[in-house]
Amino acid sequence: LGVLRNYLDFLDINLKSMQLEQTFSETLTSDQMCAFSTISMNELFKQLRYYWGKLPFRIEEYEKYNKPSDEYNLLKQQYAHLSIRTWILAKSQYEKCSMNVTHGLYFYSADCSECVEQGVQLDELNRKVRASGKEMVMFPIDFYMGEPIVSNLKKYYGINSTPAIIINDGVFQGRLFAAEELFSAQNTAGAGK
């Protein structure tokens, strides 16, 4: 019960924080909103560092070869919530503030034969994006996670198989995508549907 209570407290604090930030953002000019979004995103990255220290670097690889514990699953849920929140903020900055960022979500599953290699390709994509002078915000999400936001995102983007990647609103799914292919397509959202 203690673990569940901590998780519910975590969600409640996050929801209240999001509501306050949204209310504050509505009082700002466009330029001020972009500056505030940058501050918010940096703060979320600080919060995510905790999970980066606790969870395996390559979640999809870990889950393919290990049986996750209840504590691991709870950490992964909290991480997914913060990751999606950070992705939404990065998406907003990209669209409203013309930020030089590539944003995305990576849906994986333990039963996916290509997901470990897709993770390797996304690591390479990250290197290519950063070398081109952009930032990349990409988060792994368990395809089978029973969270309503995950289900809604899958429905909205038509995600029905793994590996699946959303990059700048372009959807790439159903097979392994090479880093070079994703790098070329990152500026043409929707090309991989």
Side-chain angles (χ1 to χ4, degrees), residues 24-37 97:
F24 178 69
S25 289
E26 290 170 2
T27 68
L28 302 174
T29 66
S30 181
D31 288 342
Q32 291 170 331
M33 184 192 65
C34 291
F36 183 71
S37 291
C97 305

Side-chain angles (χ1 to χ4, degrees), residues 52-71:
W52 294 337
K54 296 280 185 186
L55 292 171
F57 173 68
R58 297 288 305 287
I59 291 174
E60 70 279 3
E61 187 170 22
Y62 176 82
E63 290 182 11
K64 186 161 189 79
Y65 302 109
N66 297 282
K67 181 172 176 16
S69 67
D70 289 342
E71 179 184 7

Side-chain angles (χ1 to χ4, degrees), residues 49-110:
R49 281 190 195 106
Y50 169 80
Y51 297 96
W52 294 337
K54 296 280 185 186
L55 292 171
F57 173 68
R58 297 288 305 287
I59 291 174
E60 70 279 3
E61 187 170 22
Y62 176 82
E63 290 182 11
K64 186 161 189 79
Y65 302 109
N66 297 282
K67 181 172 176 16
S69 67
D70 289 342
E71 179 184 7
Y72 172 89
N73 286 328
L74 178 62
L75 283 171
K76 187 174 80 167
Q77 263 185 317
Q78 292 172 346
Y79 173 71
H81 281 265
L82 275 176
S83 296
I84 291 170
R85 185 172 164 206
T86 305
W87 171 72
I88 290 168
L89 195 54
K91 182 176 172 1
S92 174
Q93 282 189 319
Y94 173 79
E95 293 167 358
K96 294 178 183 171
C97 305
S98 300
M99 296 293 290
N100 204 12
V101 65
T102 296
H103 59 83
L105 296 175
Y106 165 47
F107 291 86
Y108 70 91
S109 61

